[in-house]
Every structure is written in structure tokens, then in C-alpha cells.
Amino acid sequence: DQQVKQNSPSLSVQEGRISILNCDYTNSMFDYFLWYKKYPAEGPTFLISISSIKDKNEDGRFTVFLNKSAKHLSLHIVPSQPGDSAVYFCAASANDYKLSFGAGTTVTVRA
Amino acid sequence: DAGITQSPRHKVTETGTPVTLRCHQTENHRYMYWYRQDPGHGLRLIHYSYGVKDTDKGEVSDGYSVSRSKTEDFLLTLESATSSQTSVYFCAIRIGETQYFGPGTRLLVL
């Protein structure tokens, strides 16, 4: 039973516009959330994270929002660039530091 | 770059043969992890280690064993490979609350 879900397998966005990726989770014990970016034939690269004590974390063009009551988080990329075309994974952990991943969303940034 | 290497990077093997994948880190991190990535599933935890000779099972551990005799090396063994173990395998280390991944090993079991 998948505890972290990314319901959109793909997203296409025009260069310069905002990309919004969504993630839902079911385990109320999760207290740390991460986003990873993955290019083909490479390992996932850590992008940004958020603790459950916060509702927003920002790092340059990337912002993660957490809505604990809805068990929902989102990643905003503004502005989107061609190099952002990749697969994005949402992940979550409880205090055991074992990560549960979503299935991923493939982002394509169009010129 | 978290100083993680994986070997081999690609392997083709036959059903029933044993296979060992190696993860090597250069920075003496205590926690190491093995995941597999399959379409529609994201990454799933196979086994993890919290120190030399200290390991535990993850979500999809059946058919896999691990060993950690040195801090820097974490080995994943498929005792008798099956076609369902065709996958991409990633090793990770933990720094704080964040895991950092190696480049992966692509395994094909025929």
C-alpha cells in the first residue's frame, strides 16, 4: 500500500512559467518531506525538504508547501527552465529515517 | 556529490545465478540504504544499515541479503536472481535527515 502518492504522472509547462507538482500522503507519522529530481541514467538528486513544523520552505526558484491537515505537499518551480525537465519524486519519512517515495512526475519544459 | 560509487553500473545475468552489488562511500557515514526503482513504484527500500554489521529489512527485502563489514562498503546480494529482480538499484547515505544517492546499477535478469 503506497503511503506517498503523486497522482500526476506527467506535467508539461512552457519555459518561464510556473511548474506545480503535487504529492499526497496517508501516514500521519511522517514528519519530514523531501523532493528529489532525477535525470535518466543518474541517481536522484536532493532538491528541497521541509519539516512538519513548517508550512513553507524556499530555496531559489524552488518552494515547497506543506498542508498537514490535508496531508498534502506541493513543489513550485518559478520560473521553469529547460534544465528542469526531469522526473521529480516526493518522499517522506517518520522518525525512523526510512524514506517512502511517490511514483514520480515527469516534467517537460517546452521552449 | 556525496562521494558514493556503485559497481557494477550495468549487469546482465541469468535466472538462478547469485549477484552482488557494491556501494562504496568515502566519508564514513553511518547510515546506508539500498533501494530499487521500478516504473509505477518510485523507489522502494530493500535493506538498510545503521553501522558495521548492523542491518535491517526494508519494504521489499525478500530475495535479498546485505552485508556491511566495513563502514565504507554496503553489499547487496541476490542469492538466486529472478526476472522480477530486473530493476535499477540505488544506494544512499544519510546526512542529517536527508539521503543522498549514488548513480545506480542497472540489472537485467534473463
Side-chain angles (χ1 to χ4, degrees), chain A residues 32 36 38 43 97-99 102, chain B residues 35 37 42 48 90 97 99 102:
Chain A
Y32 194 70
Y36 287 86
K38 186 183 180 305
Y97 301 112
K98 293 187 286 187
L99 292 181
Chain B
Y35 291 86
Q37 185 200 358
Y48 66 101
F90 291 103
E97 297 190 67
Q99 293 183 25

Side-chain angles (χ1 to χ4, degrees), chain A residues 3-4 23-36 46 48-53 66 68 73 89-102, chain B residues 31 33 35 43 45 48 94-99 101:
Chain A
Q3 300 183 77
V4 177
C23 179
D24 297 296
Y25 62 95
T26 57
N27 188 342
S28 59
M29 298 302 292
F30 287 149
D31 59 4
Y32 194 70
F33 305 88
L34 310 92
W35 286 94
Y36 287 86
F46 170 69
I48 192 169
S49 62
I50 187 166
S51 165
S52 59
I53 63 173
L66 176 62
K68 284 175 55 182
L73 63 155
F89 291 102
C90 170
S93 69
N95 57 9
D96 58 1
Y97 301 112
K98 293 187 286 187
L99 292 181
S100 295
F101 282 82
Chain B
Y31 286 82
Y33 304 80
Y35 291 86
L43 282 77
L45 180 65
Y48 66 101
R94 179 165 73 84
I95 301 174
E97 297 190 67
T98 301
Q99 293 183 25
F101 288 83

Side-chain angles (χ1 to χ4, degrees), chain A residues 65-77:
Chain A
F65 296 91
L66 176 62
N67 182 333
K68 284 175 55 182
S69 61
K71 293 189 177 68
H72 176 83
L73 63 155
S74 61
L75 174 68
H76 292 206
I77 307 173

Side-chain angles (χ1 to χ4, degrees), chain B residues 69-95:
Chain B
S69 58
K70 299 185 292 185
T71 300
E72 59 266 35
D73 290 324
F74 191 30
L75 304 181
L76 176 71
T77 297
L78 290 64
E79 302 289 349
S80 177
T82 67
S83 59
S84 64
Q85 293 176 311
T86 290
S87 188
V88 182
Y89 292 86
F90 291 103
C91 171
I93 55 93
R94 179 165 73 84
I95 301 174

Side-chain angles (χ1 to χ4, degrees), chain B residues 44-80:
Chain B
R44 292 179 292 174
L45 180 65
I46 305 171
H47 281 279
Y48 66 101
S49 169
Y50 44 96
V52 173
K53 297 192 187 333
D54 292 323
T55 65
D56 206 347
K57 296 179 180 179
E59 178 188 359
V60 290
S61 60
D62 287 349
Y64 301 95
S65 62
V66 289
S67 65
R68 192 161 178 208
S69 58
K70 299 185 292 185
T71 300
E72 59 266 35
D73 290 324
F74 191 30
L75 304 181
L76 176 71
T77 297
L78 290 64
E79 302 289 349
S80 177

